[in-house]
Each structure stands twice: as C-alpha cells, then as structure tokens.
Amino acid sequence: MVNVAEVIVDVPAMQVDRPFDYLIPEELTDVVTAGMRVIVPFGPRTVQGFVIQTKVTPDNHKLKPIREVMDLLPVLSTELLALGDWLAKETLSFKVSAYQAMLPALLRAKYEKYFVRLDEEDAELEALFEGYETLDWKKAEANGLLKVIQKYLKNGQAEVIYQVKNKITKKKARYVHLKKDPVQLEEALLDLPKSAKAQQKVLRYFMQTGETKITQKALQERAGVTTEPIKKLAQVGILKIVDQEVARDPYQGRVFEKTTALPLLDGQKQACDQIIEAVEQNRAETFLLHGVTGSGKTEIYLQTIEHVLKKGQEAIVLVPEISLTPQMVNRFKSRFGDEVAVLHSALSSGEKYDEWRRIEKKEAHVVVGARSAVFAPFENLGMIIIDEEHEATYKQEDNPRYHARDVAIWRAARANIPVVLGSATPSMESFARAKKNVYTLLSLPDRVNQQDLPEVHVVDMRDELRQQNRTEFSRILLEKMKDRLAKGEQTVLLLNKRGYASFVMCRDCGYVVECPNCDISLTYHQATHKMKCHYCGHEEAVPNHCPSCESEHIRYFGTGTQKVEESLTKLLPEARIIRMDVDTTRTKGAHEKLLQRFANHEADILLGTQMIAKGLDFPDITLVGVLNADTMLFLPDFRSAERTFQLLTQVSGRAGRHELTGEVIVQSYTPEHYSIQYAKKHDYLGFYEHEMQMRYRYQYPPFYYLTLIGVSHEDEMTVIRTIRQIADYLRSKLHQNALILGPVPSTISRIKNKYRYQCMIKYKVEPELQAELKSILEHYQKDQQKGLTISIDVQPYVLM
DNA sequence: AGCACGCCGACT
DNA sequence: GTCGGCGTGCTC
C-alpha cells in the first residue's frame, strides 16, 4: 500500500481537466494534504498542481512521485476546493482555472525552461552557453540556436530543465538593532573621534529614545544622517543591520479615527434586526436590502458585521471596484480597525497577497473587496454582503465566467449564513426574486437626514438645438452652475461615456476611420494625437484628408471630457474645474487626490465619467448635471434601459446628501423614454413594473435564462459553418420552448482579424443544457487547437 | 497546453 | 537517403 495524492495539474486543456494520481514520497507523507500546491512531473514537463485529495492505494509501481510541495499549509480549504469544482461545472471552465481564480495572482506558478550544459570539455558547447552552465530557452530560441543544441541533447552533453517558480517575494525592510546597553553606549560615544559627528548623532538618538530596534530608513530620517555612519557603527559591533520580512500595509501611516455605531432609524433598525436574527439562527437566507441613496445601508452593514464578529465569525463585503474609494474603506477601517483586510485592483500584487495572507492567518476577520474577494479564505464565515448588487462588475467577463452573487449564495448555503444584497436600484432578477419570496425584501424608503430626494429636471436637448444652442450645456444647466458658483456651492457633471467614444468622420461622405483588424471605429486620443483601436491596440496617425473622398472636412465626433472641459472654461471662465477620467486618474492614488482636492473646495466643478457616479459624499454638492443621459440607451443590449435608470438614480443621489437641498439636471435627446422619466420621479417600483413588462414581452431575464455561445476564427466561412452546426445541434436537443436566436455576427464582428459570430439560447428549464454544451466543447476540441475559439457564457451580463 | 512520435514531400 | 512539415495522441 502506498500514499497517493490526486492532483489537478496546471494545464488548462479539456483532455487533462481531471485528477492525476501521484505517489507521495515517504518524507512528505504527513506533509501533503488536500488544498496544497505541489510541483509534479507531467509528461516531459514539470508543472504546478493542486492536491484535491489524498488516499492509500495498492502499489502499482506506475505512479510518478510528487517532486516538491509549494505550501506547508493548504492554500485552498475543502470548502474552496468544492466551490472550485462547482464553479468549473457551472461556468464550463477548467478546474485549474477555477482554483486559480480563487487565489491571489502571486500564487500562480511561473514556468521556466532552460538548458544545462553537462559536458564541460566541449569548446563549441561552451561557446554556445557563453561560458555559463545554463542557457535560457527563450534566449537560445531568439538567437536561433535550438537546432544546434538539439544535437547535444541527443548525445547527452546537455539537458532541458523545466522549472516551476514561485512568484512570491517577501517585502524586506532593513532594520538596525542596538547591540550595546546604555552604559556601553556612553563609553562608545566618548571613544568616537570628535570629527565623527554623524556617528555621534546616531548614538545620541538611541540614548535619547531608549529604542533598541528601528528601521534604517526611520533612523536616517530622525537622526538626520546618511547610510555611512550606520554602516561604520555596525562594523565596530555597536549596531547590527538585519534584513527582516515585513507585511506590506497599503494603509500604513494612516490614522483611522475610531467610530462607534450610529443611532438607527426605524427602518434601518428593523432591517438590522432581521439580518442579525438570521446570523444568530445560522440561517442561509438571502436578503435584498432596497434603500434609496442616502438611506444608510452602510451603517446597517457595519452594525450587522459587528454582530458577526462578536459571534466569533467572519464577514465578506463586496463592493464594486469603482466605489472602493478611500472614503468607503475608511468607514470600515475606522469601525473595525486592523480587523479589516482590503482587496482591490489598485493594490500591487504583493500588497494583495499580503492582505490575503492576513485573512488566511486569521489576523483579519472582515474583508472589503471587489468581485474576487468573495473567495476570501475564511473558515468560519458569518455573513456575506454585496453592496450595489446590480453592478455588472460582479460578473467576471473571462473564464471562469462566474457571478459573485451566485458564489456568495453557494458559500452561504453551505455555511448556513445570510447573504445581504444591497442596492438603491436592484437588478430586475433580484427584485423579482424578492417579490417571489425567494429573497427577503428589506426596504429603506427614507434618507437618514430626512432630506427629500433632489428634484430632477429633464432638459430636451433637441429644443436647445432649435434655439441655436450648440454647446454641450443647456441654458438652464448653465444658469444653475452660475448660481452655485455665486453661492460657493459645488457642482458635479457626469459625462456618460459608454457607447460614445470619440471617432473621426468625414463630414462630406460620412467615412469613418476604422481598424484594419477589427470591425470597430478607431478612437481619437488627444494625448498622443493618434487614432487607436480599443481592442487590438492598432495605432495610426489622424488623417488630414478623407481617405475615401479626399475632402478636408474630416473631424472628430463624440464628446470627450477634455472637450467638455474646454468649452466649460469658455462659458464659465471663473470656475475652477477638476476633470476625472481614465487619463487623469491613471497613476496610483490620483483618484483619491482629485477627490480630496474637491472635498477641500479647491474646485467648483467636478467633471467626470461613470467613476464619479458612486460614493461621492460631500456636503456642498447641490447640483448634479448629466450631460448626455441617453447615449447608452440604444446599445444593443436588453439591459440598457435598466443601466440608464440605475446610472441616473445613482448620480442624482450625489446631490444634497447633507443640509443643503440638491438639484439634478438631466440632459437628453429622448427625454420621454421611460427610464429617464422614472428616474426623474425617483420611482424604482414604477420602473420595475414597466421594465418587467418589456422583459416579458421580449422574453428576456428574469423570465428566461440566457446563454450566449460565440465562435471565432480567422476564416469567416469556418465560423459560420461551425456556429450553424452548433445551433442546429442545440435545436435538435433542447426543449421546444427553448429559443435559439441566430447565428448572427457579434456586435463587433471582427477582433484581431478573427471573425466573430454568436447565437443566444433563451430557455426556462433545460436540465440537459450543461451536458450538451460540454459535449459541444468536446466535439470541437481538435478544431480549437487550430485557431477556432468557442466561448460559452452562461447568463451573460453584457451582450456585446 | 506542449511535447514526442510518426508519416509524407523536398532537398543535400 | 535525410530534414522538416504538420497531423495524432498522451500526459499519473
């Protein structure tokens, strides 16, 4: 009998998406356990793998042994292993991909391949290796040496080594330790030559503070010296310099003022009590917390988490990436201090790893993070909160294409704990489930400050045009901005960029500059003064003449934030403007700095894209303007009305959150559209009813489930043939109530020279669908190796 | 995925 | 007769 580990190898391919057995070598017998990463030989290669199980079996002498363990403690708990299995099945992706998705990027293996010289005598070989013992494969390949080296491999004068590398780098800090007691120190100071002023400073620092250990950096700053005197003192044995591991702390040096629970309104209290009851009774209940902006949802999160912590359990709080602002983090940090770990994409991969480790080591009991934080390695979870549950960012757009909400509900069901979905504008799906009592609805109709919701004016921009107003600003908006300027109050302007990139078009013939590889128009970039493709990165110069008709009337269309800023400066020269978009927030911390400046009243107007729609909470914002409310209304996506309503509601909530009442101006070319009208009235329920009718009529979620199948290849005929075969196959297999739409070219019909076609399945109950889809993937496996890509998105969120 | 093996055409 | 193209199949 031998000890055997079942291992999922790090090779994302269908044929090897199953466990492989490996012998556990004797010295690792009690070390290897499920959830650890190991290094194993796999064919001629060496790869990383995840142990999913260990077992004892009869010795069949055919198993290769595990080469090395990468962890001493499992990185995946049994819960997360099971979750990965489920995820892979649900999203039709590979198990390894699911496991990788649950871990910080630093735990993903890096592979290296290089040659080792075995024959020391051969002169030519030595020359090839430039005298070194090893030669990097990539380097050899780049220099065209592979063929020559092959000979040496064959006759055993060299060999190929496959190596798995850990990416983890521990952050080190240089510490200075004091090796002498105060008396000795005094003597040492007297012994120092008079000229050694800097060394004296260092010793006096230690004598005055009584410290015995300090980072070198801090010592240099505080004692006002450079590295040299410290080195000297270390040489004579008075000090010792030690490199020590430290955890990166992205919030280092910040002081969080401790806050305590705020008093709750009746509605908040009731909601809190119900959630706490579910926590107490270990009930896997899903709550939909529907609260208007400013109704105090966050305070409910904080107080229920407090309860979870008191019970000795842990909590996960998911927040959309863009609202993971310092303001948001601060609220959690100041209530729970060091118990909070933050996981978000602006952190470096090292920082993310360290935060993840704090969770794993049970130093943190609350995690606040974006989508992937739903996989936080807690083992005694007490509650999961998803704020702004309607946000599309919770759906991962590449494999594994999971939705964080589904993962949360899975974990909650297993752990018998509640999930809280919070939103001012719940998704149709969630609200429908709440109405059917699948979720428990908790409503917060009132704002905490008892303020009325801001008044929303809708301006018909077609009228403005008729009145010869060609600027981006309606007369009323301009009027109100001037008024705020005079009163010293602040304005937020939202430019809805989605579906509205700036492109170059010929005014004479209508020619639009397009990407030669992708079926999409090129975007104009002012910074580089070039045309760039969003999808493949293709770049070209801005044309002077129309390539089609030679006309010189070729110009930019679309409205960028820069352009708006320019015209705003002309109209309101005295206004101080802060512009926030991808360009001005690219560098780390820029986002925060700009907001801070706005908070400090260093500007009157904040102009930005979607990223300013959330989380801004400044007392002096009394006017919000939406420059173009409807640009995304006509995107080919059934959720476009819902998204428009959500965005408008969201930004409206930025105004008048404190004492001053707010006003909102919404500019639109289609002011009569229901999503705008209901947003104007702050009428979520009205919008919900209307939108549900549309969804019913056009057979969309939540009445039908969707699955999107996409095929792409360089040869258009191959794509059409394949997608047709798939559609026909599904038609023959699925229930007759299921609708199969298409195949049709995708919205962007070509990316990177690959043609893209898709078909959509709409269905109600289809228990066999998953199996059928899997068999389709298997069937086209060989073609997938020849450049054909089949992507399956179960319950897609974005249809483009 | 990646790599070896193996079977055919185009050359020294 | 050999080099190298790519199709096929396997990886504990």
Side-chain angles (χ1 to χ4, degrees), chain A residues 119-134:
Chain A
D119 187 338
E120 306 274 322
E121 312 299 317
D122 193 302
E124 195 206 358
L125 195 59
E126 184 163 2
L128 281 175
F129 278 61
E130 293 170 343
Y132 293 102
E133 289 310 296
T134 62

Side-chain angles (χ1 to χ4, degrees), chain A residues 709-712 718-734 740 743 757-759 761 772-773 775-777 779-780 784 788-792:
Chain A
I709 303 183
V711 173
S712 73
T718 309
V719 180
I720 295 173
R721 199 177 55 239
T722 313
I723 189 94
R724 280 214 185 118
Q725 280 171 8
I726 293 174
D728 289 342
Y729 176 79
L730 286 171
R731 280 197 184 96
S732 74
K733 289 285 181 186
L734 299 186
I740 293 156
Y757 278 71
Q758 64 183 39
C759 69
I761 318 168
E772 297 296 352
L773 293 172
S775 73
I776 289 173
L777 285 176
H779 183 259
Y780 289 101
Q784 295 219 48
L788 185 89
T789 323
I790 299 179
S791 67
I792 297 180

Side-chain angles (χ1 to χ4, degrees), chain A residues 544-606:
Chain A
N544 300 320
H545 303 271
C546 170
S548 165
C549 73
E550 298 295 322
S551 158
E552 288 182 12
H553 296 136
I554 186 156
R555 53 157 287 202
Y556 319 125
F557 271 79
T559 311
T561 39
Q562 297 178 5
K563 208 177 143 229
V564 174
E565 188 183 11
E566 280 167 26
S567 32
L568 193 55
T569 324
K570 273 183 207 145
L571 292 167
L572 295 173
E574 69 276 31
R576 296 164 302 164
I577 304 163
I578 289 180
R579 176 165 62 91
M580 251 174 99
D581 56 24
V582 273
D583 289 329
T584 60
T585 55
R586 193 165 293 128
T587 56
K588 203 172 171 175
H591 192 260
E592 187 181 356
K593 270 184 214 138
L594 291 176
L595 286 182
Q596 195 54 50
R597 281 179 48 208
F598 192 61
N600 295 347
H601 265 271
E602 288 171 41
D604 311 297
I605 297 173
L606 178 66

Side-chain angles (χ1 to χ4, degrees), chain A residues 432-465:
Chain A
R433 274 184 207 151
K435 287 202 129 189
K436 283 168 76 183
N437 291 324
V438 181
Y439 298 164
T440 309
L441 184 65
L442 305 171
S443 292
L444 302 175
D446 302 316
R447 290 183 117 179
V448 175
N449 61 2
Q450 305 293 338
Q451 280 277 3
D452 287 336
L453 286 161
E455 196 179 332
V456 179
H457 311 272
V458 178
V459 182
D460 189 341
M461 288 305 275
R462 293 168 303 192
D463 277 348
E464 295 292 316
L465 212 59

Side-chain angles (χ1 to χ4, degrees), chain A residues 52 74 84 156 189 207 228 283 499 525 582 587 593 650 788 795:
Chain A
I52 54 163
L189 185 60
M207 285 161 68
E228 282 315 307
R283 224 170 40 226
H525 280 242
V582 273
T587 56
K593 270 184 214 138
Q650 201 82 249
L788 185 89
Q795 289 161 53

